[in-house]
Amino acid sequence: MTVNVPGRPMTANLARHGGADAHAGADAAQGEKPWSPGRERGPSPRQGDRLRPLSRRQVEDRFEDLGDLYEETCGGGTRAGTRSRADFLRRLAGDVRRPGFTLLIAENTTLTAFAYGFPVRGADPWWQGCDTRLPRTVRGLAVTGGLFAVSGIVVPARVRTHYQDRDWNLARRLQRRLLADHAPALGVTLLPATDTETLAAYRAWGWRDVVAEARDPRPPAGACRVLLLGR
């Protein structure tokens, strides 16, 4: 995620969801927990959204669709906010060439969300803008290849504000699947220190702040917060 600054997402409506059992079997086959109707009243938002990865060629073929959804939702994820659609697609075109790059889409009758990332090491330019000294444990993981950078989570606004703690929350499903496909790496992401709205969403999705080794607890201007996520 070179530094892209996430912005506040525009309001976007989720596409219509399918029936209660529409993709439970597919999710179970992918290692995801099937949703139980007793866990939450009303239809689960996961039921109409099937997750699947795209190959590099498929990502390139669907650039327009991905750009359209990004523009509609204004990003809603790390390092992807107020930049233009063209900037987003240009950066995605660079990211897709990285070793280990993975992009997952969620879809029912249409594309509803996507998330993507790649393995990252300590000397990677991806860390640019992170002005905080990382703890030894995180630096060690970066050296050994134990970190997977979740560079973007592009979801409708309501996914950021509704039922964030449910395992069927679409952002949670996407990030969980990304990490499962790259086990045993931990997820890592960078957020602008001043973006409290996005930070709140990520914390609600299970991300935790990395405590920096720094005397001054206040991050310098323009610094990024480092967040980690386990599987």
Side-chain angles (χ1 to χ4, degrees):
M1 304 181 296
T2 49
V3 176
N4 298 321
V5 180
R8 297 183 178 182
M10 298 171 60
T11 301
N13 294 323
L14 284 173
R16 292 192 301 273
H17 300 297
D21 297 320
H23 296 290
D27 286 339
Q30 295 167 355
E32 297 192 37
K33 299 177 181 178
W35 175 76
S36 170
R39 300 187 64 177
E40 184 64 43
R41 293 183 179 180
S44 166
R46 74 175 290 173
Q47 297 311 307
D49 298 294
R50 181 173 62 93
L51 306 189
R52 66 182 179 91
L54 297 184
S55 67
R56 284 183 171 85
R57 176 61 62 86
Q58 289 173 326
V59 171
E60 294 169 353
D61 289 343
R62 299 195 64 172
F63 259 28
E64 293 303 314
D65 292 341
L66 297 171
D68 289 345
L69 185 61
Y70 171 84
E71 190 171 36
E72 290 171 9
T73 62
C74 203
T78 52
R79 300 222 170 194
T82 57
R83 292 185 178 274
S84 70
R85 181 180 187 276
D87 286 342
F88 164 72
L89 290 177
R90 182 163 53 250
R91 292 180 180 278
L92 181 60
D95 286 348
V96 75
R97 300 187 185 99
R98 284 177 168 267
F101 174 87
T102 300
L103 186 144
L104 293 174
I105 63 170
E107 60 184 356
N108 42 56
T109 56
T110 60
L111 178 68
T112 59
F114 62 93
Y116 59 95
F118 40 81
V120 64
R121 292 184 177 267
D124 197 294
W126 179 82
W127 295 99
Q128 179 184 349
C130 176
D131 300 326
T132 302
R133 185 183 174 196
L134 298 174
R136 282 190 295 271
T137 53
V138 177
R139 294 201 305 270
L141 288 171
V143 170
T144 61
L147 294 176
F148 184 83
V150 179
S151 189
I153 301 176
V154 179
V155 293
R158 64 182 296 179
V159 177
R160 295 164 57 102
T161 57
H162 290 70
Y163 304 114
Q164 303 104 310
D165 61 338
R166 300 293 179 178
D167 62 359
W168 44 254
N169 177 279
L170 192 52
R172 279 182 171 263
R173 292 181 62 213
L174 286 165
Q175 66 193 25
R176 183 171 63 243
R177 176 73 182 276
L178 276 176
L179 295 186
D181 289 348
H182 291 272
L186 293 179
V188 62
T189 195
L190 304 180
L191 295 179
T194 56
D195 191 349
T196 57
E197 183 178 345
T198 299
L199 178 62
Y202 273 69
R203 283 174 173 167
W205 292 335
W207 292 82
R208 58 183 178 84
D209 293 82
V210 171
V211 179
E213 293 178 353
R215 293 182 179 179
D216 187 351
R218 296 169 301 177
C224 290
R225 288 182 181 271
V226 182
L227 282 76
L228 289 179
L229 180 70
R231 291 189 300 128

